[in-house]
Amino acid sequence: SYELAQPPSVSVSQGQTASITCSGDKLGDRYVCWYQQKPGQSPVLIIYEDKKRPSGIPERFSGSNTGNTATLTISGTQSMDEADYYCQAWLSTTAGVFGGGTKLTVL
Amino acid sequence: EVQLVQSGAEVKKPGESLRISCKGSGYIFTNSWIGWVRQMPGKGLELMGVIYPGDSDTKYSPPFQGQVTISADKSISTAYVQWSSLKASDTAMYYCARLVSIDYGANYFDYWGQGTLVIVSS
């Protein structure tokens, strides 16, 4: 079965750049999306098609995907960005896989 | 405005049956797949399966095949997931989400329900 690996936790100082990785076999051949989930809330889509941002998502969120690794980058990280982040890739139209999630701590 | 509104929290005993729901509005319900996602306490997101309300075509993720039944009633724009015999390990938050399915494979869930908490305890 296809698996996506994320680091369990990432820490970043406020105002600095955070990078969260998502690794999978030939992941660059697939499209990746990213979700943000804050405690007690539903997930929110923040990146789709590797690097596109839905309306209303701040420009400080960006994405890339090449080789075996997709990366979510948060520039100028703010305290409000503290959350869990999940990557997702699709093996077919209806078969999606989530990464295990990364807890972002803003120091 | 697209909305997915889920049914309320449930507390059940092991062995009992349960059906939870997800009602869509603000878009053509029959034209988009709906997915169900499980989140066990303190854990990550797991895709259970998806359903296309237009024709009730349903696909299950392997770990959930045979464990749950996903269905939809397009006449009332509502999707369901049901259990015939709950286990304590079914305790989790369950989310529905609308799937945007792109021909070239760039799928994603763009709208999510508020979640339904299911607690199974004797």
Side-chain angles (χ1 to χ4, degrees):
Chain A
S1 62
Y2 194 82
E3 294 183 355
L4 295 176
Q6 296 182 236
S9 63
V10 168
S11 297
V12 62
S13 298
Q14 189 161 326
Q16 298 304 301
T17 297
S19 295
I20 299 173
T21 58
C22 173
S23 299
D25 185 47
K26 297 179 182 178
L27 186 57
D29 292 344
R30 308 180 187 279
Y31 284 103
V32 172
C33 57
W34 292 89
Y35 303 93
Q36 176 193 68
Q37 186 181 33
K38 296 182 178 180
Q41 298 184 19
S42 302
V44 173
L45 177 72
I46 56 172
I47 294 289
Y48 66 99
E49 286 189 42
D50 293 341
K51 58 185 178 183
K52 295 182 179 180
R53 281 179 290 104
S55 173
I57 300 302
E59 291 184 11
R60 65 179 181 274
F61 290 93
S62 63
S64 64
N65 182 20
T66 184
N68 294 322
T69 304
T71 303
L72 173 69
T73 302
I74 310 172
S75 303
T77 307
Q78 301 181 11
S79 58
M80 69 175 66
D81 300 329
E82 192 161 280
D84 294 327
Y85 291 85
Y86 295 90
C87 61
Q88 184 183 36
W90 291 83
L91 310 184
S92 69
T93 301
T94 54
V97 178
F98 287 103
T102 298
K103 180 177 180 61
L104 178 68
T105 300
V106 181
L107 305 172
Chain B
E1 178 195 8
V2 174
Q3 285 192 312
L4 296 172
V5 179
Q6 299 185 228
S7 49
E10 301 274 0
V11 180
K12 307 293 279 187
K13 289 181 166 44
E16 292 186 332
S17 62
L18 175 66
R19 188 178 75 168
I20 63 175
S21 66
C22 168
K23 183 174 177 61
S25 62
Y27 73 102
I28 301 174
F29 187 72
T30 52
N31 286 3
S32 296
W33 292 85
I34 289 284
W36 283 96
V37 176
R38 182 177 77 175
Q39 187 169 39
M40 299 177 75
K43 302 299 184 181
L45 306 175
E46 301 172 273
L47 180 61
M48 300 168 66
V50 296
I51 186 165
Y52 191 76
D55 60 7
S56 291
D57 186 17
T58 307
K59 310 291 186 186
Y60 294 93
S61 296
F64 295 92
Q65 181 80 48
Q67 306 305 306
V68 297
T69 301
I70 294 171
S71 61
D73 185 339
K74 61 184 179 182
S75 70
I76 54 172
S77 300
T78 301
Y80 305 95
V81 60
Q82 65 182 61
W83 295 259
S84 59
S85 180
L86 286 161
K87 303 184 282 287
S89 57
D90 293 318
T91 294
M93 181 71 82
Y94 293 88
Y95 295 100
C96 64
R98 187 179 77 163
L99 175 62
V100 175
S101 179
I102 309 295
D103 287 346
Y104 47 88
N107 300 344
Y108 52 92
F109 290 122
D110 63 345
Y111 288 92
W112 293 67
Q114 83 276 22
T116 296
L117 179 62
V118 174
I119 297 173
V120 183
S121 174
S122 55

